[in-house]
Amino acid sequence: MREPRSRWADIAGDDAGERYAERFARLAESGADTHGEARLCAELLPPGARVLDAGCGTGRVAIRLAELGYDCVGVDLDASMLDVARRAAPRLPWILADLSDLGDLGDLGDLGDLGDLGDREDHAVRKGASFDMVVAAGNVIPLLAPGTEARAVAGLAALLRPGGLLVSGFGLDAAHLPLASATVTLADYDGWCRASGLAPLRRLATWDGIPYDGGGYAVSVHTRTAA
């Protein structure tokens, strides 16, 4: 049976990378803060931690974290977005993959689509390595293909070491999504996390760390339990 297309592919088409990058370039030029996600991640773990940017898009979060000293890998299903990321940071690993079918992504030494790494010995592609953090910013979870969300969360959780963090931010209503209506509730997401061995740590209303008060956007921090 053929898997459904992701909601992102349905709304963005096949050439979103350049348009997405231009949008954030304009925001940065206007003085807007475009690094809130990376800043929050940096507050949660010290430099040197291994971070998977899941649904990395053009690499904005991973590139900023790498500049701050984090060991980053980006993965996305949109080849046009990854093309932009590779031009911006050719030395970082950028992997073309579906978050709902990651397989053994922790065994990065067996993957061929890692960008231009040359012959350097890179900690980020060490065979069998696991991640200290997985970050899914930019409405990644609601834009997955319908029916694949639980599998994607389970796959991301499996890439975390015990005690590692899954950090995900997404809209809960049409005002905070590029969609006509919400596709995921917090109860849905918490259930998928719980089934995947993840326990809740914090829930915020924004990437700036404001506590969640029941609004239309939430940032959730879960940790992988030892079990």
Side-chain angles (χ1 to χ4, degrees):
M1 182 176 177
R2 185 176 180 180
E3 289 284 357
R5 276 168 58 93
S6 71
R7 297 182 180 95
W8 168 255
D10 285 340
I11 66 173
D14 299 322
D15 59 349
E18 296 295 342
R19 289 183 281 113
Y20 193 85
E22 289 171 4
R23 174 192 168 201
F24 275 92
R26 289 194 299 270
L27 285 172
E29 290 170 359
S30 73
D33 179 12
T34 59
H35 295 304
E37 301 99 328
R39 185 169 55 252
L40 176 62
C41 291
E43 292 173 359
L44 295 171
L45 287 177
R50 300 196 68 238
V51 179
L52 177 68
D53 187 355
C56 64
T58 57
R60 178 174 51 88
V61 177
I63 292 170
R64 179 57 178 162
L65 285 172
E67 292 171 347
L68 296 174
Y70 292 82
D71 188 1
C72 297
V73 178
V75 58
D76 202 283
L77 183 61
D78 189 325
S80 72
M81 302 282 264
L82 291 180
D83 286 343
V84 175
R86 290 191 181 105
R87 289 201 304 271
R91 298 289 286 174
L92 289 182
W94 304 109
I95 302 168
L96 181 66
D98 186 338
L99 295 185
S100 67
D101 187 22
L102 292 174
D104 189 13
L105 188 58
D107 193 2
L108 293 179
D110 287 346
L111 292 175
D113 187 16
L114 295 176
D116 181 13
L117 294 178
D119 58 1
R120 75 184 171 103
E121 183 177 350
D122 195 300
H123 177 64
V125 294
R126 191 178 61 215
K127 185 174 182 179
S130 59
F131 291 90
D132 300 300
M133 176 186 290
V134 173
V135 56
N139 287 316
V140 169
I141 302 299
L143 293 176
L144 294 168
T148 68
E149 299 93 345
R151 187 165 73 242
V153 171
L156 296 176
L159 296 175
L160 288 167
R161 63 169 179 79
L165 303 177
L166 174 61
V167 185
S168 179
F170 53 85
L172 302 167
D173 57 28
H176 295 85
L177 288 165
L179 300 167
S181 61
T183 64
V184 175
T185 69
L186 288 177
D188 292 332
Y189 183 68
D190 286 344
W192 299 329
C193 287
R194 185 168 55 251
S196 303
L198 299 170
L201 282 182
R202 298 172 65 186
R203 178 149 286 147
L204 307 169
T206 70
W207 291 94
D208 291 329
I210 298 172
Y212 181 71
D213 62 358
Y217 188 90
V219 179
S220 303
V221 182
H222 287 73
T223 184
R224 183 179 176 186
T225 63

